[in-house]
Amino acid sequence: MSAATHDGYYVPHGSHWPIVGSIGLTTLLGGFASMLNGSTMGGKLMIAGVVIVLIMMFGWFGTVIRESESGYYNEQVDKSFRWGMSWFIFSEVMFFAAFFGALFYARAFSIPWIGGEGNNLMTNLVLWNSWEATWPTNGPANVGGDYQVMGAWGLPALNTLILLTSGVTVTWAHWALKKQNRSQLILGLLATVVLGFLFVGLQAVEYGHAYHEMNLTLESGIYGSTFFMLTGFHGFHVTMGATMLTVILFRAMSGHFTPDRHFAFEAVAWYWHFVDVVWLGLFIFVYWL
Amino acid sequence: MSEATTHDAHDHHDHGPAKGLMRWVTTTNHKDIGTLYLLFSLLMFFIGGAMAMVIRAELFEPGMQVVNPHFFNQMTTNHALIMIFGAVMPAFVGLANWLIPMMIGAPDMALPRMNNWSFWILPFAFTMMLSTIFMDGGAPAAGWTIYPPLVLQTGDAFPFMIFAIHMMGISSVMGAINVIATILNMRAPGMTLMKMPLFVWTWLITAYLLIAVMPVLAGAVTMLLTDKYFGTSFFTAAGGGDPVMYQHIFWFFGHPEVYILILPAFGIVSQIIPTFARKPLFGYSSMVYASASIAFLSFIVWAHHMFTVGMPVAGELFFMYATMLIAVPTGVKVFNWVSTMWKGSMTFETPMLFALGFVVLFTIGGFSGLMLAIAPSDFQYHDTYFVVAHFHYVLVTGAIFAIMGAAYYWLPKWTGHMYNETLGKWHFWLSTITVNILFFPQHFLGLAGMPRRIPDYSVQFAEFNMISSIGGFAFGLSQLLFAYIVISTIRGGAKATDKVWDGAEGLEWTLSSPPPYHSFSEAPEVK
Amino acid sequence: MSQNKSVWLHRALLGGAMLLGAGGAVAEYGLNMTQGVTEVSGEVYRLHMLIFYICCAIAVVVFGAMFYSIWKHRKSVGAQAANFHESTTVEIIWTIVPFAILISMAIPATKALINLEDTSDPDMTIKVTGYQWMWHYDYADEGVSFFSRLDEKSNAARQMNSGIDPASVEDYLLNVDNRLVLPAGKKVRFLITANDVIHSWWVPSLGWKKDAIPGYINEAWTKVEQPGVYRGQCAELCGKDHGFMPIVVEVMEQGAYDAWVAAQKATAQNDSPVATVVAAAN
Ligand code: HEA
Ligand code: HEA
Ligand code: CUA
Ligand SMILES: [Cu+2]
């Protein structure tokens, strides 16, 4: 690959990473599906799939980074990446919207209906023995048995603080990047990464507490379902974000990014802010109200 | 808009494609990928169509003769999933790949490597989907809408179906992101938004819809997965959930989805009609606004698929009114097409025939849609063959007809060869006659009370079912002609000129037929 | 295959006629929606016809203009293309006119809908429960309850390659062992639910269908003046035998109905033995 500068739109030649990605994804999901069906091979296949997907990501992103560092990408390519990332984040927003939708639906409709509101008086009287609607709830059949509600003002509040702070540190790092202050950039990124993983760790502690001491599980009716699915997918995204931030940190340490050309940094920062905003929604609607 | 010239890493080498099979596996070229999408779509159309033939064979006469009821339901379910996600959507993405860069004067799609991945997920996803037929308990059989609790009774196929849907979703979202980035970022200088061909506009809006709703489908099926394997209660009343909640989430995806299946078709027809009327498209800007209004309204009408689930009256009224409103922007489109023809100088080559067939037959499907939108009447129509008739008019004589029109319209450009006009006309007339024999009687069946998704029926429905099946076999056979025409045009035929059609307008016609591997290495001038 | 050709031809022609807008005249041939036997079913039928005729009228105008243009503005008859491509006036007109038409449809639709959903002040209540694949009826006020399944003859004929001609079976697939019996002239409220998956209770002559959702109760009502037998089917895919869980409603004069109730009570039919059968079957 020549290192000459180019001013045209960079159209890469054929790449085998996509097909590797497809094979990996299929192995991963096929393995998971077999596992759910009780096959013993499933788990192994799934791990193989994860490994292939990781190889693909390293290879693919590696190529992109190399091309970027060699100056193949002009401003227009950069813009394509920006549009791509923004719309990807929008798609993630809509993914979470489905689960928030489920939460709102349960709280605004299904629970009150089972409790006899609207046109559902008979539902309540005939099927559910005059059960009284409340929130949070594991449903009229007390699915999963008695449980305790996760309060908002302990760990979750602390986690809110941690995540908000990490939003500040990443911005601080961004300023540093623009001012060409590399040590502040690295410090800011390091702090963000640490806060990110701290958040994930505390979340794990919270889950352990919920499962072992509170009998609050995925099986605790609609409350448990929405609680764990929302916080779980969010936690997964934080982990992804923190991992990407780690990559950015290493790249920053090896001298990548210039004040006016650092799309990868910004993309990850956008992603991080998105994860932050989702958390605020979670904190308000899942834990607090 | 910055300069849109192309440049590649090895520009001292030739600009042509790599050789052999790996060319297709690793390609980042929008034309190669477009071809892959289109051929894949044709294959899926035949597989989904073969399943429809099984359905029509069983329904040929009363009594159970060909397949058992469980297998029948597997056919219905997979027929729909394959036609929607395997045939129509990939066909539109294939057309987008081929045409959008050529229409806006771009060197390629904005994100070429990701473009390859969008395609190459699909064969894997559909292999996974189709393999479920051989699994314990058979393929999914709960209808393409996969409602719980029924779908939770699926056997080993269940998680494979869910993950296949996830993969289709990933593919469509990446495809859509690419389309948006291309349209917003890769236009040649002077190609302002309001100068873009309508096909580009409708795809921009479609891509937006895709990104907005495919993730919602992913969320819905994920909840199905956890309800089945991880003990969640999203769709179970005992735990405080609601089976109907699934329907709301599904149709929040599902209704915009049906406009995903028609907006690019509107775009295609808006390209074809002006060419053969030799007159500019009437009401260009109102076409753009109408498409945008349709997309907007599509987000607030979803529960018209659920009038009978027992919603509060206020909800039913809201969804009825909102749904009816969609007739207004769609009407604007129909009127604009007719006005484009008005005082034109029309000729009727095969693409034009398909476009005209589209206008008439899609409108009939739209009218039955409007009837379905009337909630109290829908209490009678819902889940009958009237609905089946409605959506096949908009999907087969709508989406599929538009896709076939597009294939005839641009094949000479893509391949450099003219297709056989006589055979093309035969294909159109055979299709148009048989498709009406196939689907028109289904209106009567539905009104007379035949429910959908049943493998057997009472004898009063016998005649119309037999007529419909005969029409179905004939329509299916007619499509063999289409495959023959396409393949023989790819392999040879009279040389096509660059402009191909007398009245054609647009950047793609300024290129040679077939166009060079990299369409616009230098950005074209747009006045 | 036993039907003769002329019946076919007849119906095909009528189909064509209906396509041209002569819908009402051919209603009795099973081409059109039933007018039903209740006030609301009639209302729904009239609404259906109204919208249908409006659509036909619009179709005539739109397709008329289009075919006129195809005929007159062909290149082969020497038509020269004009060059106009917009007109704000006509565009405003064809936005407003359809909107007005829609309002004229929405008004009767709203009235019908509100009437259909008004389950207040019933004379009696019946709980309807969908099962895979049968219905259970529970007369809340009488203590009478029973299951209702596909009748034996249809069930035999509908087996794979049974060798029995469906045409030889009376009311093939539309007959049950135990009918739902209703008194004429009474407002009956239905409480509709399901035990396993979603079903949908539909008798076209009554004018509506309502989904049976497990865990929730949907309400609906009917009032049939005319004694008679009315048939319908489950209308929501509920698994392999979805096509085989019909509904038969028999409406009787009050006296006959009372006698029927008394007979039911006397045979002491209660659902527990049946329920155990069902449990065992699952
Ligand atoms: C391409 C796909 C497509 C398109 C474009 C449409 C278009 C429309 N659809 Fe359809 N629909 C489906 C695909 C589509 N549909 C599918 C797949 C299903 C079934 C899903 C399932 O259950 O499996 C379905 C089901 C469906 C239902 C649910 C039926 C039921 O299950 O009970 C309803 C109800 O409102 C409906 C309504 C409409 C309406 C109002 C339109 C409108 O957009 C139509 C607008 C067009 C016109 C009206 C014609 C042109 C207009 C004029 C000439 C102007 C003047 C006209 C008037 C003023 C009347 N559709
Ligand atoms: C774009 C979408 C699309 C397309 C193109 C089609 C195309 C066709 N559909 Fe489909 N259909 C749906 C979408 C689509 N459908 C959906 C969404 C449903 C609802 C599913 C559900 O209820 O969940 C449905 C359901 C559905 C039903 C109702 C099933 C039921 O309720 O149980 C029927 C019944 O007639 C049917 C028939 C057909 C036929 C005959 C075609 C024909 O147009 C197909 C023609 C094509 C071919 C036949 C292939 C090409 C030719 C060959 C393979 C050669 C061999 C030919 C012969 C042997 C004759 N479809
Ligand atoms: Cu019960 Cu369909
Ligand atoms: Cu819809």
Side-chain angles (χ1 to χ4, degrees), chain B residues 241 321 343 346 381-382 456, chain C residues 48 73 75 110 172 209 216:
Chain B
Y321 299 148
K343 298 226 158 103
M346 274 190 276
Y381 309 132
H382 177 67
D456 194 7
Chain C
H48 157 73
H73 307 145
K75 191 167 182 234
T110 305
Y172 177 61
K209 65 175 66 72
Y216 291 81

Side-chain angles (χ1 to χ4, degrees), chain B residues 251 254-256 258-259 301-302 304-305 323 390:
Chain B
W251 288 115
H255 187 82
V258 308
Y259 293 110
V301 302
W302 74 86
H304 64 219
H305 296 273
T323 304
H390 156 66

Side-chain angles (χ1 to χ4, degrees), chain B residues 61 64 153 241 278 283 286 308-309 316 321 339 341 343 345-346 379-383 453 456 458 463, chain C residues 1 3 48 69 73 75 79 81-82 85 91 110 117 132 158 161 172 202 204 209 211 216 218 235-236:
Chain B
E61 54 183 350
M64 300 297 303
Q153 298 178 348
R278 292 169 183 74
S286 68
T308 63
V309 300
E316 290 176 330
Y321 299 148
S339 310
M341 295 177 223
K343 298 226 158 103
S345 169
M346 274 190 276
F379 289 174
Q380 291 280 40
Y381 309 132
H382 177 67
D383 262 329
R453 296 168 166 173
D456 194 7
S458 87
E463 294 90 6
Chain C
M1 305 236 6
Q3 263 66 25
H48 157 73
S69 178
H73 307 145
K75 191 167 182 234
H85 52 83
E91 292 182 52
T110 305
E117 298 286 17
Q132 282 175 318
R158 67 105 174 170
N161 302 313
Y172 177 61
W202 181 36
K209 65 175 66 72
D211 290 1
Y216 291 81
N218 280 329
E236 175 65 50

Side-chain angles (χ1 to χ4, degrees), chain B residues 144-145 251 258-259 261-262 304-305 307 323 326-327 330-331 334-335 362-363 366-367 369-370 372-373 378 382-383 387 390-391 394-395 452-453, chain C residues 55 58 62 98 101-102 105:
Chain B
W144 81 284
T145 50
W251 288 115
V258 308
Y259 293 110
L261 297 170
I262 207 69
H304 64 219
H305 296 273
F307 281 138
T323 304
I326 299 190
T330 315
V334 173
F335 303 142
F362 167 80
T363 303
F367 287 146
L370 190 78
L372 292 167
D378 186 65
H382 177 67
D383 262 329
V387 178
H390 156 66
F391 65 71
V394 283
L395 284 169
R452 60 192 280 206
R453 296 168 166 173
Chain C
C55 288
I58 299 172
V62 176
I101 297 176
L102 291 174
M105 295 174 175

Side-chain angles (χ1 to χ4, degrees), chain C residues 133 199 234-238 242 245:
Chain C
W133 290 273
H199 304 260
C234 177
E236 175 65 50
L237 179 58
C238 53
H242 159 62
M245 50 182 293

